[in-house]
Amino acid sequence: MNNNVKTSDPFGGLRYEGGSVGILLLHSLGGAPMELKYLAQGLARCGYTVSCPVIPGMSHGTDVLGLSRWNDWYASAEAQLDDMRKTCDTVMVGGLSAGSIMALKLAAERPNDVEGVLVCAPTLKPNGWSIPWTFNLFGLVWQRWCARLFQFRQRAPYGIKDERLRNFMIEASRAGNRSIEDLYSRNGGMVLQFRKLVMNVKRRLGQVTHPTLIVHPREDDQSHLKNALTIQARLGGPVESIVLDDYYHMVTLDRQRDVVLDRSIDFVARLVGKVEARRARNAP
């Protein structure tokens, strides 16, 4: 097993080479693969092939002009799934926040290519306790030209409950001559496209019949727990849900992230066992 990191694209995507079981993890809206690194490395140590690509247009700084659409994001995610299928005969998809919504769309649209879904802090609508009520006014905006006039800056606590980790990220952003508010900001065009993605996926949640693990914080500052409950109620397959008590939104980075990793490892291992048993029964 070779767990060396490979940069799979010029923007800094992560890939860990392993066996024939592959796990595709997708970052959040305006985020980057590094927010999934801890989870990816832990899964890779179990011998799985893990890929955390950059989704152009959905990642910070990859759509300066605001021209990309959610269909472009999905096409990129679909290409990453196709690439993983070339070397892995069992593939699971997952993600953080908006990335988990994209993963659910992959499962709905490509049921024969996906065996399971890992959903971390899913967001159907930014409605956590740190989101200002004025954000609801943006719901009236449906034209791209108008949406691009808006810029949504990140607000404290930036999805991280662990104060030491939060301060580290703030200092790291200052070292790069950028404020953390600007570094993780999202333009209105991106937010509008995400809203359209959610509308598309919500209609298809019943088509996701794969085993799904949902992990969501009780005190999520950006995505209320009812986002996860809505998804759980609408999925068409078996669901395992975990509500975390000591996290904010960034569950793959925040304190006790090892709980997310341990439950993900357990979920994947059990699912792989079921897949292998099914294939053994169907073998000639």
Side-chain angles (χ1 to χ4, degrees), residues 65-169:
L65 299 178
L67 298 177
S68 73
R69 299 174 181 268
W70 72 263
N71 312 72
D72 303 321
W73 308 346
Y74 179 69
S76 178
E78 206 171 21
Q80 293 291 335
L81 175 61
D82 290 334
D83 183 65
M84 179 162 279
R85 289 286 299 172
K86 293 176 183 177
T87 57
C88 299
D89 54 22
T90 300
V91 176
M92 300 178 203
V93 295
L96 173 65
S97 191
S100 66
I101 304 303
M102 187 72 74
L104 288 168
K105 180 168 177 61
L106 284 172
E109 301 284 349
R110 304 280 297 271
N112 296 327
D113 294 322
V114 173
E115 293 290 350
V117 191
L118 296 170
V119 177
C120 297
T123 303
L124 296 173
K125 180 181 180 181
N127 55 2
W129 56 263
S130 73
I131 303 297
W133 68 268
T134 52
F135 178 81
N136 293 323
L137 299 177
F138 186 73
L140 301 175
V141 177
W142 286 100
Q143 299 298 322
R144 297 184 72 194
W145 67 267
C146 184
R148 289 203 292 263
L149 299 176
F150 291 79
Q151 188 74 21
F152 299 101
R153 303 176 75 211
Q154 184 69 281
R155 297 178 55 172
Y158 314 114
I160 300 175
K161 191 172 186 179
D162 189 289
E163 187 174 353
R164 184 175 59 176
L165 177 59
R166 189 192 316 141
N167 290 335
F168 172 80
M169 293 185 65

Side-chain angles (χ1 to χ4, degrees), residues 188-258:
M190 176 186 289
V191 176
L192 175 60
Q193 290 303 311
F194 174 64
R195 188 199 307 164
K196 293 181 177 181
L197 168 66
V198 168
M199 292 176 60
N200 180 278
V201 174
K202 285 177 71 174
R203 294 194 297 266
R204 289 169 169 76
L205 287 175
Q207 298 173 230
V208 181
T209 58
H210 315 75
T212 301
L213 174 66
I214 300 178
V215 180
H216 202 101
R218 190 183 305 277
E219 301 178 77
D220 197 319
D221 60 316
Q222 298 180 33
S223 173
H224 195 277
L225 179 61
K226 62 185 179 183
N227 286 271
L229 298 178
T230 298
I231 291 173
Q232 175 185 330
R234 296 190 182 189
L235 289 177
V239 183
E240 298 180 28
S241 295
I242 306 170
V243 178
L244 305 168
D245 287 322
D246 200 21
Y247 295 76
Y248 289 159
H249 188 62
M250 305 296 285
V251 295
T252 54
L253 288 175
D254 210 350
R255 62 176 57 164
Q256 295 184 327
R257 58 190 181 273
D258 54 316

